[in-house]
Amino acid sequence: MTQTPPPAPAGPPVPPPFDRRLAIGLSGVLIAALASGLNNRVTDIALADVRGVLGMGYDEGTWIHSAYAAAEVCAMMVAAWCAMTFSLRRFAVCVVLGFALLGAVFPFVRDVDALVALRIAQGLLGGALPPLLMTVALRFLPPGIKLYGLGAYALTATFGPNLATPLAALWTDHAGWQFVYWQIIPPSLLAALMIAHGIPQDPVRLERFRQFDWIGVLTGCGGMAALVVALSQGERLDWFHSPLVSALLAGAAVSLAIFCVNEWHHPLPLFKLQILARRNFSHGLLALAGLLIVFMSGSMLPSLYLMEVRDFRAPEIGPLALSIAIPQLLAAPAAAALCNIRGLDSRIVMATGLGLLAASCLGGSFLTSAWGRDSFYLLQAMQALGQPLAVLPILMGATGAVQPMEGPFASAMFNTVRGLSTVVGGALIETFLAHRGHFHSNMLLDRAGNMARLLPAGPDGTAGTPAHFGALLREQVLVLSLADAYLLLMGIALALILLLAVLPVRAFPPQPPSLQPSK
């Protein structure tokens, strides 16, 4: 007997005309997504201060970070499905209000286990917000301004993370550490009001639960969570020398393999893997993953140098971070305008952005212990211009390769890769610096006898005291390791340029269906 095939998933409703009210709703989703990104980065930067106030050890603090990161990536996998099932407006408002509520109670919790549990819950809510921003941009924005909406989405990866350092300094040094968590309350409440006012109300579609991808959720979210925890804890626990990390990586490999097989055959999957056959979409995922790792050359590496070598604190690093963050408000719309020029190949725009990022990393590879904060401003200027020029063509090419009904699948896949890439980049840089540090330490110690005669005088007037030599050695090891990390990231940027030359086909700006060329 022939089985009746399952009904095809219904596409999203026809979008309403773009007007002032809808613009308010979209702006609310943008504010919520930016608040989510700031909550993640600011709490990580201020974690040392929070641990000191709560009397928490370093190891315990790392689990708070890992718990949030794992939950955030899991939420990115299922957010688009939930928005279509419970209605976009209702789901977004509930998520934003719950996100703010958890931020309000954090400073009153002292138990470590309770803090980890709350961070998991907040990670699930916060991770759902960036996919909603991409979803509404693809669904509601007319073709002529769709790239500007994607530019707003790009701000969550370029503007938000670089704004986190000065905000963390403001809260911990002036307003009080509690505002590390309370900072999200005002923008979240504002965002909830704007979303409730501006986003149209879709019907609730609970019938989608009849085809709910339970196996995909269990294996996909479980595998991603295990992978994120393993990556974030790997260097601290010495990777495969740790039974926990080994078990997590093995479990992640098995779970994600089952997930991929299930998604390929499921009638209503979380990920529509068949989209990967489209070259521009596959290129978008690969390029976004590499690009987010390269972005660490503009945030993580300068901050690490200034803190460890120059003894700078967050308030002193803040102006350097703002030199990337503030220009994004102009650079992102400018990049969208360039990509909207039909006669300009967006691949040229992306190659230009990647070239600027590679040049910035090349300049950073000449790092010495004589550098100060001012030495980084030219590199940061190249980052500020290069980041949006590289991101916008990726979003344009990837989203142009999917049909409107496939938007939720594309959003889930894109944002999951984005969340995972941030964790992978952090683990890569941390592990690379540790291994290069061992190498440079051994090389310098081999020359210790010759170096001792060249050391400047110590505080007591003697030359080359052991303590003075040890401090100088640690400083030089870190400087050399950071210079190597810049070269590593430059290599990734150049590899992305080569990938751009072979994988994607040219993408054109979005345009109304009546103006699209006939096939």
Side-chain angles (χ1 to χ4, degrees):
M1 180 176 179
T2 305
Q3 290 184 343
T4 303
V14 177
F18 187 77
D19 56 13
R20 179 173 174 272
R21 182 169 182 170
L22 187 53
I24 292 174
L26 296 179
S27 299
V29 181
L30 172 61
I31 292 172
L34 288 173
S36 170
L38 285 175
N39 175 71
N40 186 9
R41 291 290 299 138
V42 171
T43 50
D44 284 348
I45 294 170
L47 187 58
D49 297 274
V50 175
R51 285 193 292 105
V53 172
L54 300 181
M56 186 188 307
Y58 171 78
D59 291 347
E60 296 168 323
T62 63
W63 283 107
I64 292 179
H65 164 72
S66 297
Y68 186 94
E72 184 180 44
V73 175
C74 292
M76 290 177 174
M77 300 181 71
V78 300
W81 189 94
C82 292
M84 292 186 66
T85 302
F86 299 109
S87 88
L88 179 58
R89 183 172 75 176
R90 182 177 286 110
F91 179 70
V93 170
C94 291
V95 166
V96 173
L97 292 178
F99 183 65
L101 177 62
L102 289 177
V105 303
F106 260 106
F108 304 104
V109 179
R110 293 293 187 270
D111 180 71
V112 175
D113 293 336
L115 282 172
V116 171
L118 287 176
R119 279 302 268 177
I120 292 175
Q122 196 178 42
L124 289 172
L125 296 173
L129 295 174
L132 295 184
L133 178 58
M134 176 175 277
T135 299
V136 297
L138 293 176
R139 175 179 167 186
F140 293 116
L141 290 180
I145 61 173
K146 183 167 290 186
L147 286 181
Y148 293 95
L150 294 176
Y153 171 79
L155 288 177
T156 62
T158 57
F159 174 76
N162 290 295
L163 189 62
T165 299
L167 277 180
L170 175 64
W171 305 141
T172 55
D173 282 29
H174 301 287
W177 67 271
Q178 297 90 342
F179 285 88
V180 168
Y181 299 103
W182 289 345
Q183 66 171 349
I184 64 172
I185 297 176
S188 295
L189 295 179
L190 175 63
L193 290 174
M194 295 172 71
I195 293 169
H197 172 73
I199 298 296
Q201 178 62 56
D202 298 331
V204 178
R205 300 169 58 191
L206 298 181
E207 70 276 4
R208 286 166 56 86
F209 274 103
R210 298 172 187 167
Q211 292 181 299
F212 186 57
D213 187 7
W214 293 104
I215 296 178
V217 170
L218 293 175
T219 57
C221 293
M224 280 293 179
L227 180 59
V228 170
V229 172
L231 291 172
S232 59
Q233 294 288 330
E235 183 60 30
R236 185 180 71 85
L237 298 178
D238 200 15
W239 293 105
F240 292 104
H241 292 94
S242 165
L244 175 61
V245 173
S246 300
L248 287 172
L249 290 175
V254 173
S255 295
L256 293 178
I258 297 173
F259 171 76
C260 290
V261 173
N262 176 77
E263 297 306 282
W264 187 268
H265 298 285
H266 198 279
L268 190 61
L270 298 178
F271 285 9
K272 189 174 181 181
L273 297 181
Q274 289 82 353
I275 304 177
L276 294 175
R278 301 166 198 174
R279 293 169 58 181
N280 279 17
F281 189 79
S282 298
H283 170 261
L285 294 182
L286 291 173
L288 181 68
L291 197 59
L292 289 174
I293 297 174
V294 175
F295 281 178
M296 295 193 172
S297 60
S299 55
M300 181 179 180
L301 299 187
S303 298
L304 187 57
Y305 170 83
L306 292 174
M307 285 189 296
E308 298 295 333
V309 177
R310 290 297 180 185
D311 293 324
F312 277 25
R313 299 190 69 250
E316 299 167 298
I317 301 173
L320 196 66
L322 288 176
S323 67
I324 293 183
I326 299 302
Q328 299 301 312
L329 300 177
L330 296 176
L338 284 176
C339 291
N340 253 335
I341 300 175
R342 187 169 179 82
L344 178 62
D345 192 334
S346 61
R347 293 175 294 184
I348 297 176
V349 178
M350 182 180 173
T352 302
L354 289 171
L356 286 169
L357 295 175
S360 173
C361 293
L362 177 61
S365 68
F366 294 98
L367 179 70
T368 70
S369 56
W371 281 33
R373 185 178 63 190
D374 292 346
S375 306
F376 287 95
Y377 278 115
L378 177 59
L379 307 183
Q380 300 297 87
M382 289 189 282
Q383 290 275 341
L385 184 58
Q387 289 185 9
L389 290 177
V391 169
L392 258 297
I394 292 175
L395 297 175
M396 173 181 163
T399 56
V402 298
Q403 301 300 317
M405 292 177 58
E406 298 168 330
F409 301 117
S411 177
M413 296 170 72
F414 223 78
N415 284 279
T416 301
V417 169
R418 170 191 163 173
L420 182 62
S421 298
T422 303
V423 178
V424 170
L428 173 65
I429 296 299
E430 184 182 11
T431 303
F432 182 82
L433 290 177
H435 285 270
R436 294 305 294 173
H438 292 317
F439 170 79
H440 289 301
S441 179
N442 291 332
M443 294 297 292
L444 291 176
L445 285 174
D446 286 342
R447 297 171 174 83
N450 294 330
M451 290 179 60
R453 294 183 285 103
L454 303 176
L455 289 175
D460 57 358
T462 61
T465 61
H468 184 61
F469 174 73
L472 184 61
L473 178 66
R474 287 190 297 273
E475 176 183 300
Q476 291 301 314
V477 165
L478 179 60
V479 169
L480 292 170
S481 300
L482 289 172
D484 291 344
Y486 272 113
L487 288 175
L488 171 67
L489 297 181
M490 183 186 73
I492 296 176
L494 294 176
L496 291 177
I497 295 177
L498 294 177
L499 182 67
L500 180 64
V502 298
L503 186 57
V505 297
R506 182 179 178 183
F508 290 92
Q511 54 185 325
S514 59
L515 299 179
Q516 290 179 0
S518 58
K519 296 182 181 179

